[in-house]
Amino acid sequence: MSDKMLPSPVEIEGADAPGDALIICEHAANDFPAQYGDLGLSEDEKAAHIAWDPGALGLARGLARNLNAPLVLGTISRLIYDLNRPPHAPGAMAETSEIYRIPDNADLPVAERLRRTAGIYLPFHNAVAMMVAARLALGQRPVVITVHSFTPVWHGTPRQVEFGVIHDADDRLARAITAQDTGLMTMLNEPYSAADGVAHMLATHATPLGLANVMLELRNDLLADPAAQAAMADRLTPVLRAAITAVR
């Protein structure tokens, strides 16, 4: 398969949906296209949380449906390229993730880093930028919401937080969300924060334009199956609607 025949790294669902939000799910899939290989990982490792955000896509689709919003999603494993990291970041093509080594990411040649950046990162971010620009051209100011999940145990330590609400420099939407009763153990800037380098998507496509934005992190044991994902979307939809209204 030539690089020209590679599957698209980005899909857009509901591009013309008129809602106030733009939903983004960078780590929606754990696909390893043949042209990039399996990075030296076992099938179990490719299915693990290191390769994607389990449950995040189902949640993102539910939120997009409920909010009548477009959804931009990544189709390739974040171990090949993490779309929420800039090309110069070590985590963009990580050599290790939690307790796992990623053998074929070790000492990547510059040409391979460039190939992945050109083939995965740039098309995805161009698609997001086009979606934002189109809304702005129509006189709209979309709220940018990225949807992720995290593992209940990290380096052997259980995480008690269930719902993490992360912001970049603009904390308006994040604080409007955490001010409400979500029925979940909800924490601001946990289990990650912008200081951990996780706000690249927001910092690139929302903050410079003054668009309200937030990164949602749900513990993945709460998104174990499609029914749980749909239920979580229904639980969070009124919270997000109220928060969006508060920052308008």
Side-chain angles (χ1 to χ4, degrees):
M1 184 190 299
S2 71
D3 281 1
K4 291 182 179 179
M5 296 172 63
L6 282 173
S8 172
V10 56
E11 291 182 4
I12 301 174
E13 298 179 355
D16 297 326
D20 290 330
L22 172 62
I23 310 295
I24 303 171
C25 190
E26 302 101 299
H27 305 150
N30 62 340
D31 188 36
F32 287 76
Q35 191 72 9
Y36 296 109
D38 61 11
L39 306 188
L41 300 171
S42 69
E43 291 303 313
D44 286 347
E45 288 168 333
K46 289 192 293 181
H49 66 273
I50 59 167
W52 63 320
D53 282 356
L57 178 57
L59 173 60
R61 282 177 166 154
L63 292 174
R65 180 183 62 250
N66 292 350
L67 295 172
N68 201 11
L71 167 63
V72 184
L73 64 101
T75 66
I76 293 173
S77 172
R78 65 179 172 194
L79 294 179
I80 297 173
Y81 194 104
D82 187 330
L83 294 163
N84 197 27
R85 300 292 189 278
H88 64 281
M93 292 160 264
E95 296 186 13
T96 61
S97 182
E98 197 200 7
I99 61 173
Y100 300 88
R101 286 184 59 256
I102 318 302
D104 291 359
N105 279 356
D107 301 317
L108 272 180
V110 170
E112 178 60 13
R113 296 186 68 87
L114 181 58
R115 182 171 79 115
R116 297 188 196 180
T117 300
I120 302 173
Y121 176 86
L122 289 177
F124 189 91
H125 281 265
N126 287 343
V128 173
M130 289 174 64
M131 290 293 293
V132 171
R135 292 300 175 103
L136 293 174
L138 293 170
Q140 303 169 3
R141 296 189 59 77
V143 170
V144 178
I145 301 173
T146 67
V147 180
H148 297 256
S149 72
F150 63 94
T151 182
V153 178
W154 182 251
H155 286 283
T157 301
R159 287 161 154 169
Q160 299 306 313
V161 59
E162 295 176 316
F163 179 28
V165 184
I166 292 96
H167 62 78
D168 184 41
D170 182 349
D171 66 355
R172 291 175 295 159
L173 188 57
R175 293 191 181 279
I177 291 170
T178 56
Q180 300 177 65
D181 181 6
T182 65
L184 301 166
M185 183 174 288
T186 302
M187 297 183 69
L188 189 67
N189 292 325
E190 292 289 345
Y192 313 107
S193 74
D196 299 307
V198 301
H200 177 61
M201 190 66 62
L202 303 179
T204 301
H205 297 288
T207 304
L209 298 170
L211 301 176
N213 61 85
V214 71
M215 176 179 180
L216 307 181
E217 284 273 6
L218 274 294
R219 208 174 64 197
N220 67 31
D221 59 323
L222 303 175
L223 305 172
D225 55 45
Q229 295 153 24
M232 185 62 71
D234 290 345
R235 176 195 290 256
L236 294 180
T237 295
V239 172
L240 294 178
R241 282 188 177 134
I244 291 169
T245 298
V247 301
R248 285 305 195 189

